[in-house]
C-alpha cells in the first residue's frame, strides 16, 4: 500500500522558514517523481514543486521560485521542501504526492496518483 506522510508544518511569522518532509513507503521510491502541492481555503489545489529521480530535475511554481527548495533522499525515501522567506499568502495545507511516472517534471495534479493527508502551514503577518 502506498503511503505518504507529511510533517513539519506549523505556525510561523512572515519572513520565517519551515522545512516540510514527505516520508514514502509501499512503492519503489526511485521509480517515481514526488510533488508538493498546497490548497488554501476556498482555492484550488496548486502545484508547488516537483523532483524526479533520474537527474534530480526540479520545477517550481512562479509564486515560490527563489524561496522554496525541494530535495530528495532516496536512501531515506524522503522528499523535503525547504520554505524560506514565507509570506502570509503561503498559508495552506501542503500535501505531497506520488507521480504516475518519473519521466516528467510536472506540477499538474492530474499527473499524480497517490496523496498524503497534508500538513497545515500558517504564516502570520
Amino acid at each position: 500500500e502506498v503511503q505518504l506522510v507529511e510533517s513539519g508544518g506549523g505556525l510561523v511569522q512572515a519572513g520565517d522558514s519551515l522545512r516540510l518532509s514527505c516520508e514514502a513507503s509501499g512503492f519503489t521510491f526511485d521509480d517515481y517523481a514526488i510533488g508538493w502541492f498546497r490548497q488554501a481555503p476556498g482555492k484550488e489545489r496548486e502545484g508547488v514543486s516537483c523532483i524526479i529521480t533520474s537527474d534530480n530535475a526540479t520545477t517550481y511554481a512562479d509564486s515560490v521560485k527563489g524561496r522554496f527548495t525541494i530535495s530528495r533522499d532516496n536512501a531515506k525515501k524522503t522528499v523535503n521542501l525547504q520554505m524560506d522567506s514565507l509570506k502570509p499568502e503561503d498559508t495552506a495545507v501542503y500535501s505531497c504526492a506520488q507521480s504516475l511516472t518519473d519521466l516528467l517534471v510536472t506540477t499538474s495534479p492530474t499527473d499524480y496518483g497517490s496523496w498524503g493527508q497534508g500538513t497545515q502551514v500558517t504564516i502570520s503577518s
Side-chain angles (χ1 to χ4, degrees):
E1 178 189 4
V2 173
Q3 285 197 321
L4 299 161
V5 180
E6 302 92 342
S7 62
L11 170 63
V12 298
Q13 293 185 331
D16 286 349
S17 299
L18 279 174
R19 184 177 178 85
L20 305 184
S21 292
C22 171
E23 186 172 349
S25 62
F27 64 98
T28 304
F29 188 70
D30 297 5
D31 288 347
Y32 297 89
I34 298 293
W36 279 99
F37 298 80
R38 66 186 183 185
Q39 188 165 21
K43 294 188 176 181
E44 291 189 356
R45 178 177 282 164
E46 174 190 16
V48 174
S49 184
C50 167
I51 186 168
I52 63 174
T53 304
S54 55
D55 59 0
N56 276 334
T58 59
T59 190
Y60 297 91
D62 288 342
S63 58
V64 306
K65 206 169 290 184
R67 300 187 298 121
F68 290 12
T69 304
I70 192 171
S71 61
R72 66 188 292 160
D73 185 333
N74 289 337
K76 295 182 179 179
K77 299 185 179 180
T78 300
V79 173
N80 298 310
L81 185 69
Q82 177 68 38
M83 307 188 297
D84 298 320
S85 302
L86 285 162
K87 305 175 180 179
E89 51 263 45
D90 293 320
T91 295
V93 174
Y94 284 70
S95 303
C96 61
Q98 174 203 30
S99 75
L100 298 173
T101 177
D102 193 48
L103 299 177
L104 291 174
V105 179
T106 171
T107 54
S108 171
T110 58
D111 291 325
Y112 289 79
S114 297
W115 296 78
Q117 292 297 309
T119 184
Q120 177 69 47
V121 172
T122 304
I123 314 302
S124 64
S125 57

